[in-house]
Amino acid sequence: MTLDALRFDNAWARLPDDFFTRVSPAAWKNTRLVDISPRGVHALGLDPALFTDDSPSRETLRQVMGGETVLPGMDPLAQKYTGHQFGVYNPALGDGRGLLLGEVETDDGFWDLHLKGAGQTPYSRFGDGRAVLRSTIREYLAGEAMAGLGIPTTLALALSINDEKVQRERVEPGATLLRLAPSHVRFGHFEWLYQARRNEDLQRLVEHVITRHRPALAECEAPAEALFGDTVARTARLIAAWQAYGFVHAVMNTDNMSILGLTLDYGPYAFMDRYEPTLVPNHTDTAGRYAFDQQPGVGLWNLSVLGQSLTPLADPEALRTQLAEYEPALQQEYARLMRARLGLENVQEGDAQLVQDWLTLLADAGADYHRAFRALGEWAVDEGEWLHEEVPAEGLAAWLSRYRQRLEEEERDAASRRDAMQAVNPLYVPRTHLIQQVIEAAEAGDMAPLAEFRTLLADPFTPRPGMAHWAAAPAPEASVICLSCSS
């Protein structure tokens, strides 16, 4: 199947007219494709061979990303929603620099094609509707990395650069990103209709999400309650994975929360280097509202806002009961992930304390979060010195003694345990300083590092010859790279 033959079924465009505004993408000067994601190509049921150099599909994709054309069946629109931003309700939100080009039907389900950097919309407020190469590279790599880790996320089909000069903290090259997601419905969509007291449209939105994405819930006696319970469970698992893998979203506003439990809207995110529970990568978050260790609580707060928005359609007590399932679900999933990272198969009463004491060691030693887990996997086989180099903490020997005793309660042999640990502890992580190297190379015209790093992040557990520099922690003397909401 060619790109022109994609099947579109644009259900959002059939919702009430004020759910969106139809907007044509802006045409940008001299758009060039920078990279195409094999994962994104496969998601759409396409063959990567379609996008070889000078192929018709590659040229068509370039034109779509440059705003020069739309594919047959596309119906570009900007969605309207609202949301709580840093805890304050903002009624003037919506797609301000992105357009839902259309909804592609594949054999495995639906994918939104969403063009970021498509130009101004009625919801741009004071923004220019453009995207810069820096931020598109960061989102592009983040989606690949999260998918490689098995964490629910939006993806991207491709990234392009153009000759527009865009003013952010500095003048930067313009770019576009063609994002993929089963849905872009946010908590903020429900907030908008609740705040406007549009209960019939709120019901219509619930029915849309269930029909399109969770059809089994239609059989439930109370579908709105069932949808909320589904979102609670998925959000709990999502944030548990963020915590287990040291990911800081940094802007967990309710309009950045997915009703399907996807990681959505990558801005000033970071994967931590040194284990730092209070890490705040966004320099505009001066109060630390969205710090790493605050994410589970923020997830609960955001879900409570969503639950309140559904009260016209559901029993409030039933919604509270489902919301109470969030913390146990998160703790259960986090414990499962961390046991796997420590190479533990069965469950023991003291495992949570063992994990917490390991993290305390990492924090006290200023140890690199990801390299420490890789080193622990090797230590589980040979008890070598690498782990002591990575985690120079006074209490390490005592903790390892407890860990050794715990491993004796497992049936798996040491080599199998190491293999299992290295299959869940990533070697290649989109660290901020490595992404910055990719950005600087791309801005200088060298796109090879981007494709190379993307390939590694798609399978972050398998070592590749000659790629050790992509697994490096930042130098101890390196200055911290500050990020902002334009990142």
Side-chain angles (χ1 to χ4, degrees), residues 39 142-155 234 237-242 244-245 261-263 266 271 333 336-337 423-426 428 457-461:
R39 189 187 296 274
E144 291 286 335
M146 296 294 261
L149 291 169
I151 300 175
T153 182
T154 58
L155 301 172
R234 291 174 187 275
R237 292 194 295 270
L238 175 70
I239 296 179
W242 290 1
Y245 282 97
L262 308 172
T263 312
Y266 293 97
F271 280 82
E333 178 66 2
R336 183 188 71 82
L337 292 169
V424 296
N425 292 320
Y428 306 110
L457 294 174
D459 177 14
F461 308 108

Side-chain angles (χ1 to χ4, degrees), residues 57-196:
S57 285
R58 188 180 184 91
E59 172 58 17
T60 299
L61 178 59
R62 186 201 67 76
Q63 293 177 8
V64 169
M65 297 191 67
E68 300 169 27
T69 190
V70 295
L71 299 178
M74 283 183 171
D75 188 359
L77 56 87
Q79 293 181 321
K80 168 61 185 171
Y81 46 84
T82 63
H84 279 77
Q85 298 187 309
F86 290 88
V88 179
Y89 183 69
N90 186 343
L93 299 179
D95 289 336
R97 61 171 175 167
L99 296 177
L100 176 59
L101 297 180
E103 301 167 53
V104 176
E105 182 179 6
T106 73
D107 293 341
D108 299 319
F110 291 92
W111 287 96
D112 286 359
L113 289 185
H114 191 269
L115 185 63
K116 291 195 70 172
Q120 288 185 314
T121 78
Y123 317 113
S124 298
R125 294 178 285 171
F126 300 107
D128 58 18
R130 305 183 185 204
V132 296
L133 185 61
R134 168 179 50 89
S135 63
T136 55
I137 285 176
R138 283 178 51 80
E139 177 156 357
Y140 185 67
L141 292 176
E144 291 286 335
M146 296 294 261
L149 291 169
I151 300 175
T153 182
T154 58
L155 301 172
L157 176 61
L159 184 155
S160 74
I161 188 173
N162 56 56
D163 283 350
E164 303 292 331
K165 301 303 179 185
V166 183
Q167 179 68 54
R168 293 294 183 259
E169 285 87 351
R170 58 184 174 88
V171 176
E172 303 183 53
T176 55
L177 182 82
L178 191 53
R179 187 163 67 185
L180 305 178
S183 172
H184 281 81
V185 176
R186 308 153 185 271
F187 290 12
H189 281 100
F190 296 86
E191 287 185 78
W192 167 49
L193 297 171
Y194 168 74
Q195 294 287 346

Side-chain angles (χ1 to χ4, degrees), residues 258-398:
S258 161
I259 198 68
L260 302 186
L262 308 172
T263 312
L264 177 67
D265 287 347
Y266 293 97
Y269 73 87
F271 280 82
M272 62 172 61
D273 298 308
R274 291 182 297 108
Y275 182 69
E276 184 180 347
T278 58
L279 177 63
V280 181
N282 180 4
H283 71 71
T284 58
D285 184 8
T286 54
R289 177 181 177 87
Y290 297 141
F292 173 72
D293 60 359
Q294 298 301 305
Q295 292 183 141
V298 174
L300 179 62
W301 192 93
N302 289 345
L303 284 165
S304 71
V305 172
L306 175 64
Q308 178 66 36
S309 299
L310 291 172
T311 52
L313 308 181
D315 175 26
E317 187 58 38
L319 295 173
R320 281 192 288 271
T321 298
Q322 290 174 323
L323 186 62
E325 296 297 317
Y326 168 79
E327 185 173 356
L330 188 151
Q331 294 291 348
Q332 181 179 17
E333 178 66 2
Y334 179 75
R336 183 188 71 82
L337 292 169
M338 295 304 284
R339 281 197 303 271
R341 299 203 70 178
L342 292 181
L344 307 177
E345 284 189 293
N346 54 52
V347 180
Q348 297 289 343
E349 185 176 347
D351 288 349
Q353 191 61 53
L354 188 70
V355 169
Q356 184 54 54
D357 291 345
W358 166 248
L359 297 178
T360 299
L361 282 174
L362 299 187
D364 290 346
D368 185 85
Y369 188 64
H370 311 286
R371 292 179 62 84
F373 277 99
R374 294 289 294 195
L376 184 63
E378 296 301 324
W379 183 91
V381 171
D382 60 19
E383 299 197 8
E385 289 302 310
W386 182 26
L387 179 60
H388 295 271
E389 296 169 0
E390 292 290 339
V391 189
E394 291 184 4
L396 179 60

